[in-house]
Amino acid sequence: GAVVSQHPSWVICKSGTSVKIECRSLDFQATTMFWYRQFPKQSLMLMATSNEGSKATYEQGVEKDKFLINHASLTLSTLTVTSAHPEDSSFYICSARAGARETQYFGPGTRLLVL
Amino acid sequence: GQQVMQIPQYQHVQEGEDFTTYCNSSTTLSNIQWYKQRPGGHPVFLIQLVKSGEVKKQKRLTFQFGEAKKNSSLHITATQTTDVGTYFCAGRETGTASKLTFGTGTRLQVTL
C-alpha cells in the first residue's frame, strides 16, 4: 500500500517551545492530509483537514493559532505546535489520501512529550 | 456532530476463543473502515465496506456492514496472540465533507 512518513517519531521539548512535525506521502500525491491527536487509551480525534494550497479546516475546539498547519505541496504537510505545554503531550498522527474516494493512509505517528 | 461508538471497550479472551466488536454510528455512513492499532503503534488499515449488508472476510476476520449503514461488526474466529491490539472502526458520513470519524475502539487482549 501507499506509504506516509512522519518526522520526527519522538520529540521531547521544554514548555513554551514550538515543535514542527512533518508528514510526507512518499509514493503518491496527497490532495488532502489530515492531522489527528490520540491521548493514551483513547481514540483518534481529528484536529484539522488540509488541502494542498489552501488553508486548513480545523475541528471545533482546536485552536488554529496554536496548531499551525501548512500543506505547501502535494507530498508534504507540517503541523507546528506553538508554545507547547505539558497538556499538548500526545501522539500526533497524520494521514493522507489522493482523492475524495481514495483510501486514507496513516503515518507512523509522532509522540510529543512536553516537560 | 457524528458519534461512533464501539462495544465492548475492552475484551480479554483465551487463545482460540472468538471475538466480536460492534460499531454504531449516530448517522448514516457512506462507508466504514476498520483499523488495527498494536500497542505503541499507529492505526493500520484493514478493510473498507461500502455496500449495505456487505460482508467481507480476511482469513479469520469477518467484517459486516449493517443494512441501514449505521453499524458494523468485526468478528475474529479462533483468536491468536498476534491479534492483540485495539480495533477501531471509522465511518465516513454521506455528503461532501467526507470526514472520517473514528470509533471509540475495542482493546483486545489474548492470552495463552
Side-chain angles (χ1 to χ4, degrees):
Chain A
V3 178
V4 176
S5 71
Q6 272 184 251
H7 178 80
S9 55
W10 257 106
V11 59
I12 301 174
C13 69
K14 291 182 180 179
S15 185
T17 59
S18 293
V19 175
K20 180 185 279 189
I21 302 169
E22 291 186 350
C23 176
R24 294 182 185 272
S25 57
L26 299 184
D27 54 359
F28 69 101
Q29 294 187 322
T31 54
T32 306
M33 286 187 170
F34 304 85
W35 286 95
Y36 293 83
R37 180 168 51 181
Q38 185 180 34
F39 292 107
K41 297 188 178 181
Q42 293 188 23
S43 186
L44 279 74
M45 299 301 296
L46 180 64
M47 299 174 67
T49 302
S50 75
N51 292 295
E52 185 264 339
S54 61
K55 289 184 179 180
T57 302
Y58 289 81
E59 294 300 302
Q60 194 171 14
V62 179
E63 300 174 56
K64 62 180 181 181
D65 293 330
K66 180 167 182 62
F67 299 99
L68 301 178
I69 292 172
N70 186 301
H71 192 164
S73 77
L74 285 171
T75 58
L76 173 64
S77 176
T78 60
L79 167 67
T80 301
V81 183
T82 61
S83 186
H85 289 99
E87 58 265 28
D88 297 323
S89 299
S90 188
F91 190 36
Y92 291 87
I93 309 171
C94 75
S95 74
R97 71 175 187 214
R101 293 182 180 274
E102 301 295 321
T103 299
Q104 250 176 263
Y105 295 96
F106 282 79
T110 297
R111 295 196 183 278
L112 170 63
L113 177 61
V114 185
L115 302 175
Chain B
Q2 181 193 24
Q3 289 187 322
V4 182
M5 305 296 292
Q6 282 180 253
I7 55 170
Q9 199 172 5
Y10 170 76
Q11 186 150 10
H12 184 176
V13 300
Q14 286 198 314
E15 192 175 48
E17 293 182 333
D18 292 355
F19 160 76
T20 304
T21 171
Y22 299 92
C23 171
N24 291 285
S25 170
S26 59
T27 59
T28 304
L29 304 170
S30 63
N31 63 60
I32 195 152
Q33 301 176 7
W34 284 91
Y35 293 80
K36 176 183 178 181
Q37 185 175 24
R38 292 182 185 273
H42 64 281
V44 174
F45 175 78
L46 294 177
I47 209 160
Q48 175 174 279
L49 303 170
V50 179
K51 298 177 184 176
S52 168
E54 187 172 13
V55 178
K56 285 188 177 180
K57 290 191 176 185
Q58 285 181 353
K59 297 183 180 178
R60 295 179 294 104
L61 278 61
T62 302
F63 304 85
Q64 189 168 10
F65 200 9
E67 294 289 341
K69 301 184 78 172
K70 293 182 73 174
N71 56 68
S72 181
S73 65
L74 158 60
H75 180 81
I76 302 178
T77 304
T79 55
Q80 299 175 357
T81 54
T82 53
D83 296 325
V84 165
T86 300
Y87 293 85
F88 292 99
C89 62
R92 198 180 299 285
E93 282 187 281
T94 53
T96 58
S98 64
K99 184 173 65 175
L100 201 62
T101 300
F102 276 78
T104 46
T106 296
R107 188 160 68 93
L108 172 64
Q109 181 62 259
V110 181
T111 52
L112 295 171

